[in-house]
Amino acid sequence: MQKALKRLGIHPSQKISLDVMLGEHFNGRLYGMDEEQIERIRALRDIVASYEKSHRTAVKKVACSRDAVSIFHPMMKDLEHEEVAVAFLNNSNAVLHTETLYRGAIAEVAFSPRDIISRALSVNATGIIVAHNHPSGEPHPSVNDIRQTEELKKACDVMGISLLDHIIISRRKFYSFSDEAETNI
């Protein structure tokens, strides 16, 4: 990557990771860059964002965890706080609606099964996929994530709504409760 940066006329005083450089709050001055180089980084960030947006496939039907990740990853990967979003599905697993329902702190977000189920009923969903992000970059679930997923699963079962998955998103990785069988989804 350092060679590519040099070809762009960007010469950081120290090695820099792609995640850091393309991050929303990147400060090139900390890496010895002048204003022209910083502007090139901003342009590069815009190009990458545009490319990702144009090559994102619109998932109309969810068949596996990767389909679910393709819905949530673009909207959650760069957040510096945790959020919970839900994809509401019909009985063919086609996405009816996707919505961010909760915004939390840097390392925690709580959600209410009641609110999620209420919203699912209001859009006539028969299934849901819940996702939240881990800004730390480590997508493995916490004890609280597991507990909340189990509570949501029980509530969904009572209401006749399928909890198809709970996905944890980080910038480069994801964790799927249904793939990992962490809880009985």
Side-chain angles (χ1 to χ4, degrees):
M1 186 178 90
Q2 297 302 320
K3 287 181 184 178
L5 290 176
K6 287 181 182 175
R7 286 189 0 236
L8 291 170
I10 302 168
H11 306 284
S13 62
Q14 49 190 290
K15 287 196 175 202
I16 180 172
S17 75
L18 188 60
D19 286 343
V20 169
M21 183 177 64
L22 295 179
E24 184 179 340
H25 301 290
F26 173 69
N27 184 347
R29 286 189 178 80
L30 296 176
Y31 294 89
M33 294 180 186
D34 62 28
E35 193 57 40
E36 186 177 327
Q37 292 173 336
I38 292 169
E39 191 55 39
R40 287 182 185 152
I41 294 292
R42 288 183 189 128
L44 182 60
R45 185 174 40 236
D46 292 345
I47 290 167
V48 169
S50 177
Y51 177 83
E52 285 179 345
K53 185 176 181 181
S54 69
H55 284 77
R56 190 180 314 143
T57 56
V59 176
K60 294 182 179 168
K61 213 170 192 182
V62 178
C64 63
S65 61
R66 291 219 178 260
D67 291 344
V69 169
S70 72
I71 294 169
F72 297 110
H73 188 262
M75 59 195 266
M76 300 180 117
K77 67 179 178 153
D78 293 324
L79 296 175
E80 293 182 359
H81 59 277
E82 290 195 16
E83 289 188 356
V84 174
V86 181
F88 301 97
L89 312 171
N90 67 15
N91 60 356
S92 299
N93 290 344
V95 177
L96 299 169
H97 178 66
T98 304
E99 187 174 344
T100 300
L101 296 179
Y102 299 96
R103 181 180 173 143
I106 291 173
E108 180 179 43
V109 64
F111 58 85
S112 164
R114 177 186 171 142
D115 292 341
I116 292 172
I117 289 170
S118 174
R119 190 70 182 118
L121 293 172
S122 75
V123 297
N124 293 319
T126 58
I128 61 172
I129 299 171
V130 175
H132 83 277
N133 63 308
H134 280 182
S136 68
E138 181 51 55
H140 290 287
S142 67
V143 172
N144 193 45
D145 293 337
I146 295 168
R147 181 188 55 76
Q148 285 186 306
T149 303
E150 289 171 346
E151 288 174 6
L152 180 59
K153 172 72 172 135
K154 288 176 188 173
C156 283
D157 288 346
V158 168
M159 295 306 295
I161 296 170
S162 298
L163 174 59
L164 301 173
D165 207 343
H166 178 176
I167 305 284
I168 301 174
I169 302 287
S170 72
R171 183 153 174 77
R172 299 266 181 234
K173 301 184 264 184
F174 73 92
Y175 181 94
S176 162
F177 276 78
S178 66
D179 288 354
E180 302 297 329
E182 191 68 41
T183 187
N184 293 324
I185 288 184

